[in-house]
Amino acid sequence: MKLCVVGTGYVGLVAGTCFAESGNDVICVDNVAAKIEALRRGAIPIYEPGLAELVARNVAESRLAFTTDLADGVRKSQVIFIAVGTPSGEDGSADLGAVMSVSREIARVMDDYRVIVAKSTVPIGTSARVRAEIAAGTTHPFDVVSNPEFMKEGAAIEDFMKPDRVIIGAASTRAVEIMRQLYEPFVRTGNPILVMDNPSAEMTKYAANALLATRISFMNEIANLCERVGADVDQIRRGIGYDRRIGHHFLFPGVGYGGSCFPKDVKAVIHTAHEHGVKFPLLNAVEDVNEAQKRRLVEKVAAEFGEDLRGRRIAVWGLAFKPRTDDMREAPSITIVEGLLARGAEVAVHDPEALGEARKVFGDRVSYHRLNYEALDGADALLIVTEWNEFRRPDFSRMKHLLRRPMIFDGRNLYEPEVMREHGFAYFPIGRAAVRATA
Ligand SMILES: NC(=O)c1ccc[n+]([C@@H]2O[C@H](COP(=O)([O-])OP(=O)(O)OC[C@H]3O[C@@H](n4cnc5c(N)ncnc54)[C@H](O)[C@@H]3O)[C@@H](O)[C@H]2O)c1
């Protein structure tokens, strides 16, 4: 099939590349010329494991091309995916500016039947708006499909190639058939393609993200309660995870959720509910808990060192909102580093992939370290913010030697408190007993 994917970010670039990998001819479009020029040179503007190799192979085999010329992409393609950003507007609603302008442009240049697919996460009713916008600009036949994306950054290729399910929201059997053909190679192990109406497809995506965010906030509250009552959240996580009604996923407490999706999607559901006169107190609480959780680690630091952190040097490991990505959008690390800076601390940061993004956020207000141990030199404490694999089994004696004090505030519960006691660290995890007295 001939496909066009508009928006070459985390979703568009992965989707376009994976569709090319399954044999389709794909044109990826973006309105940022520098991004397209970089892609043409073989440079990948984001970090996503395995993506560079897949892009190179499909470009070399002429199935994948990059352009800023949307009209060319639309004319050459039967199916057009809209995968542009839908950031939060000031009132929390999803900003559909890019989705609607791309829709108008598609209508202007299409010259035959087209399937237009909303891949971006969009509020309920958007497909109807897109349909109206396109109908106003063309006399050619078309269908609008809602096909939300569930990939996780850091495992996006695997998720796209083997999705748990594919959601297709459409009113036309012709469009559904085309979408089925497109996705069948990805669901050969039997995972379902679920066909539903457009609004339900749109709602499914928001419901999934809102529920995952709810689980995170719930576990963070349980963790905070555990600290007060002397229970261990890690035992509770296992204890409830084996209940098949609950399952093990998304039960890890931490520093709060971040990223380009959960915060904005929770806000968008709250906004949609409000617009329709529906109260959704649960999601307001999920957000409030998350905002408070992002401050917890620095509060723990302040509880040990006092509110005034002038003269203290604090090391931070992990800045990306999750491991295996360089994405720092809404990352809890931003609240944490800003909290340390506001209290006067000198901050030394390390992340395996996100230092470039971090520079855009913190400028010259922190020091950047390519090697994790380097950041520890002379620091009064280490804060662990992102659970990169390479932080799981560090050389504790080297760390102890480098740190001015052997003190770790662990926002991801990477280590066992007892082991840390044996290594002679003061250790402050989330929802588990802290180790204060060092050996
Ligand atoms: N990132 C994720 O993990 C993820 C997962 C599922 C769904 N989503 C959803 O997918 C959508 C895209 O997310 P993303 O993370 O890929 O965003 P992104 O910001 O990484 O990418 C969006 C791209 O669209 C381009 N763009 C914007 N306006 C354009 C226009 N008018 N014409 C052409 N290109 C334009 C931007 O330059 C950018 O490259 C969002 O709605 C998001 O909620 C994201």
Side-chain angles (χ1 to χ4, degrees):
M1 251 186 245
K2 301 210 179 302
L3 312 177
C4 172
V5 180
V6 189
T8 312
Y10 286 87
V11 168
L13 185 57
V14 169
T17 306
C18 292
F19 280 133
E21 178 70 10
S22 65
N24 302 288
D25 290 324
V26 182
I27 302 176
C28 285
V29 180
D30 207 283
N31 62 355
V32 176
K35 205 175 248 191
I36 293 299
E37 278 158 27
L39 283 161
R40 282 180 166 166
R41 283 197 312 273
I44 309 295
I46 54 169
Y47 174 74
E48 182 60 48
L51 184 58
E53 295 86 327
L54 273 195
V55 170
R57 179 162 73 229
N58 285 282
V59 168
E61 292 173 11
S62 305
R63 286 188 302 266
L64 184 61
F66 300 101
T67 182
T68 52
D69 187 352
L70 176 63
D72 188 50
V74 171
R75 287 199 196 98
K76 289 181 178 150
S77 309
Q78 183 181 10
V79 183
I80 300 139
F81 286 84
I82 303 179
V84 298
T86 49
S88 282
E90 267 178 22
D91 58 359
S93 65
D95 180 345
L96 294 177
V99 171
M100 298 316 288
S101 86
V102 168
S103 304
R104 268 192 300 281
E105 184 65 9
I106 293 170
R108 204 176 60 75
V109 296
M110 60 190 257
D111 51 6
D112 200 352
Y113 174 74
R114 292 289 183 275
V115 178
I116 294 117
V117 185
K119 184 55 115 179
S120 303
T121 302
V122 290
I124 297 85
T126 303
S127 60
R129 283 183 60 188
V130 167
R131 195 175 292 125
E133 192 75 33
I134 296 176
T138 185
T139 52
H140 295 288
F142 68 92
D143 284 306
V144 175
V145 172
S146 306
N147 171 223
E149 180 51 54
F150 297 92
M151 68 173 61
K152 302 181 290 292
E153 284 176 28
I157 306 241
E158 168 85 4
D159 286 350
F160 197 91
M161 290 298 203
K162 294 181 193 153
D164 292 341
R165 77 312 205 177
V166 173
I167 302 284
I168 293 173
S172 122
T173 47
R174 183 181 184 184
V176 169
E177 203 34 54
I178 290 170
M179 294 300 288
R180 271 193 197 285
Q181 279 178 31
L182 201 51
Y183 273 108
E184 244 142 36
F186 300 96
V187 292
R188 295 183 60 205
T189 49
N191 286 348
I193 294 177
L194 301 173
V195 178
M196 56 185 77
D197 56 87
N198 293 78
S200 301
E202 293 165 338
M203 188 66 176
T204 300
K205 173 65 193 177
Y206 280 113
N209 274 359
L211 179 58
L212 294 173
T214 302
R215 277 173 80 113
I216 293 173
S217 278
F218 176 81
M219 283 312 286
N220 283 334
E221 289 230 282
I222 292 285
N224 295 338
L225 188 55
C226 281
E227 284 178 19
R228 293 298 176 93
V229 300
D232 181 345
V233 75
D234 208 51
Q235 302 300 333
I236 287 132
R237 177 183 68 76
R238 290 163 201 249
I240 62 176
Y242 280 103
D243 187 324
R244 271 177 292 172
R245 294 167 302 178
I246 296 173
H248 291 286
H249 294 292
F250 276 78
L251 293 182
F252 289 88
V255 291
Y257 60 77
S260 67
C261 292
F262 286 5
K264 90 172 163 55
D265 293 350
V266 167
K267 279 193 176 58
V269 179
I270 293 171
H271 187 267
T272 300
H274 183 74
E275 254 182 355
H276 290 81
V278 176
K279 285 201 174 120
F280 209 145
L282 180 62
L283 282 186
N284 283 305
V286 166
E287 243 197 343
D288 291 347
V289 169
N290 196 57
E291 285 309 308
Q293 195 68 18
K294 291 197 275 185
R295 294 191 295 268
R296 285 285 294 157
L297 212 54
V298 177
E299 283 165 7
K300 284 174 189 247
V301 173
E304 295 305 310
F305 289 104
E307 278 295 326
D308 186 355
L309 296 178
R310 278 176 299 180
R312 305 277 184 195
R313 182 179 167 90
I314 309 285
V316 175
W317 280 5
L319 299 167
F321 85 93
K322 63 193 277 192
R324 292 163 67 83
T325 183
D326 61 347
D327 199 342
M328 277 192 61
R329 288 178 283 185
E330 302 265 341
S333 66
I334 299 175
T335 308
I336 290 167
V337 171
E338 292 294 353
L340 294 170
L341 291 172
R343 288 167 174 79
E346 194 186 312
V347 183
V349 301
H350 161 77
D351 187 282
E353 293 293 338
L355 289 186
E357 289 302 305
R359 270 179 217 281
K360 296 180 196 164
V361 180
F362 305 121
D364 57 7
R365 294 180 297 143
V366 303
S367 64
Y368 300 91
H369 302 271
R370 211 176 49 77
L371 301 174
N372 57 343
Y373 295 112
E374 218 177 76
L376 303 181
D377 202 1
D380 291 282
L382 164 65
L383 270 55
I384 298 177
V385 177
T386 314
E387 67 280 31
W388 283 92
N389 265 343
E390 43 267 70
F391 303 158
R392 288 182 190 273
R393 293 282 175 275
D395 181 343
F396 288 117
S397 52
R398 187 171 173 195
M399 290 167 74
K400 215 172 149 187
H401 181 72
L402 287 166
L403 284 163
R404 197 183 298 164
R405 290 161 194 246
M407 197 179 240
I408 299 178
F409 296 86
D410 184 354
R412 299 295 182 174
N413 289 353
L414 295 190
Y415 314 126
E416 282 304 316
E418 272 318 301
V419 175
M420 299 314 287
R421 186 192 303 280
E422 283 161 23
H423 281 293
F425 280 84
Y427 181 63
F428 300 85
I430 303 283
R432 313 186 73 184
V435 176
R436 278 205 168 71
T438 57

